[in-house]
Amino acid sequence: MPRYLSLVKIDESTVPAEGPSPELMQRMGELIEEVTKAGVMLDTAGLMPSAQGTRVHWEGGRISVTDGPFTESKEVVGGYAFMQCKDMAEAVEWTKRFLKVHEEFWTMTCEVREIAEG
């Protein structure tokens, strides 16, 4: 079965300062349990805020390193889900369910891409 990566892109300005609500974490836990029992979820995690990250850039034969926060970024990768699904449509359906567990004030986009095999 093909594998898919869902990259979770978030607008960090919409994330509550105190982090996700307990209710969101409960809904998320229930969904992760369901998708794992279905044999779809291979791995998933959220990422620390971009302010705690570092970018390493290659251009013109040179490396540059920039520590966060990255003021020019509106949307950053906030997490990922690594899934094994029968097709792209199934991967998209699980991704929609993931987005719907969040409160309305979150601004998020998931980019779902099939993993290129060997």
Side-chain angles (χ1 to χ4, degrees):
M1 272 207 314
R3 296 178 302 158
Y4 297 87
L5 179 65
S6 179
L7 290 171
V8 181
K9 298 177 182 179
I10 63 171
D11 177 344
E12 288 184 311
S13 70
T14 67
V15 177
E18 66 279 2
S21 69
E23 296 82 12
L24 170 57
M25 295 308 294
Q26 180 178 343
R27 290 190 304 271
M28 186 71 63
E30 291 167 358
L31 178 62
I32 290 171
E33 182 178 342
E34 180 183 351
V35 72
T36 301
K37 284 182 179 177
V40 171
M41 185 65 70
L42 301 175
D43 190 26
T44 187
L47 302 176
M48 298 301 290
S50 66
Q52 297 175 20
T54 300
R55 287 187 179 161
V56 182
H57 181 75
W58 173 256
E59 183 177 3
R62 295 191 139 146
I63 292 277
S64 64
V65 178
T66 307
D67 291 331
F70 311 111
T71 56
E72 72 279 2
S73 296
K74 178 177 166 95
E75 220 176 42
V76 299
V77 177
Y80 68 92
F82 186 43
M83 302 175 286
Q84 186 168 330
C85 301
K86 64 182 178 202
D87 55 26
M88 177 64 84
E90 182 183 18
V92 168
E93 283 306 312
W94 283 112
T95 300
K96 287 179 183 178
R97 290 190 58 196
F98 163 77
L99 288 171
K100 288 179 179 179
V101 302
H102 291 78
E103 293 92 354
E104 291 180 8
F105 57 81
W106 289 78
T107 300
M108 304 169 62
T109 301
C110 289
E111 182 178 334
V112 182
R113 297 176 61 184
E114 186 172 350
I115 304 291
E117 300 293 341

